Amino acid sequence: MEPVYFPIIGLARTVFALQGLKFSVKGDTNIPAEGGAVIAINHTGYLDFTYAGLPARTNKRYIRFMAKKEVFDNPVGGPIMRALKHIPVDRSAGSDSYREAVNRLRKGELVGVYPEATISRSFELKEFKSGAARMAIEANVPIIPVAIWGAQRVWTKGHPKRLGRTNTPIAIEVGAPIAPFEPAQELTDKVHAALQAMLLDLQRDYVHEPGAFWVPARLGGGAPTLEEANAIEQAEAEAKAARRSE
């Protein structure tokens, strides 16, 4: 029984309808009807996770997302996140959240992760962390890649929210389960390749506006290249570290 999650999903779907969001979903039957799995999602916007959970409902499943601890500390969002049984990630003590995720997977839960760790400003796939692979290996569960395209148009880093009625199309593709194997880095590379192929597949059928901020430079958009985005993030990290040392 999910006395909080179920009505929250209903509320979210009502909000999506009011926004006029137009979802297209492929491969939703790749979400297993039972048993644990790591759901690995590309990260282009703040609301990716709300869309990534939709394909799981085909088999009446719920995803427990790993999210930074600060979200759980929020007086409004925190109680909701805890009621939905999501997993807080304290970056200063990451082993605790890792252990909790593995335990959930062993109990048959779906655990949602962002292998890129942070939003991609370029909207291209960044380098993946190996945590998703290591969890899958330790819990002996598959990794299911989920690609989302269009979410960055609603709300992303460095740009205003567009939460009104925008009629934004959002494409989602669920890939075939990838069985765990070692070493973890090779598994990570396989998941990255699968998500890259799926993302390109979604982009082929999507109408892109030339020069728009949400369109990758590769497709004629105004987003920074992956290299430029990495340089921006490096500069921000250095500035943050300098402020902490003052």
Side-chain angles (χ1 to χ4, degrees), residues 24 39 55 78 81 200 202 237:
S24 61
I39 310 298
M81 294 292 282
L200 292 176
L202 293 179

Side-chain angles (χ1 to χ4, degrees), residues 56-163:
R57 297 305 299 145
T58 297
N59 282 326
K60 296 181 171 56
R61 301 294 304 273
Y62 297 92
I63 301 176
R64 314 301 179 184
F65 289 94
M66 300 185 75
K68 60 184 181 180
K69 179 178 176 292
E70 289 80 357
V71 178
F72 290 79
D73 293 337
N74 183 281
V76 177
I80 296 174
M81 294 292 282
R82 283 186 287 273
L84 298 179
K85 303 176 187 175
H86 294 319
I87 303 169
V89 178
D90 184 346
R91 290 177 180 171
S92 64
S95 61
D96 291 342
S97 56
Y98 175 88
R99 296 302 329 158
E100 178 61 23
V102 170
N103 288 337
R104 299 280 191 94
L105 291 166
R106 286 173 170 162
K107 291 177 180 177
E109 298 263 21
L110 302 176
V111 174
V113 301
Y114 293 121
E116 297 167 278
T118 58
I119 288 174
S120 172
R121 292 176 182 268
S122 69
F123 310 123
E124 304 281 11
L125 281 188
K126 299 168 62 176
E127 182 178 348
F128 280 10
K129 307 294 184 184
S130 64
R134 289 186 289 110
M135 280 188 264
I137 292 167
E138 189 166 344
N140 193 29
V141 299
I143 298 178
I144 300 174
V146 175
I148 300 178
W149 190 243
Q152 72 274 25
R153 301 177 65 179
V154 179
W155 187 14
T156 194
K157 185 180 291 186
H159 296 279
K161 307 180 189 72
R162 298 176 67 247
L163 302 178

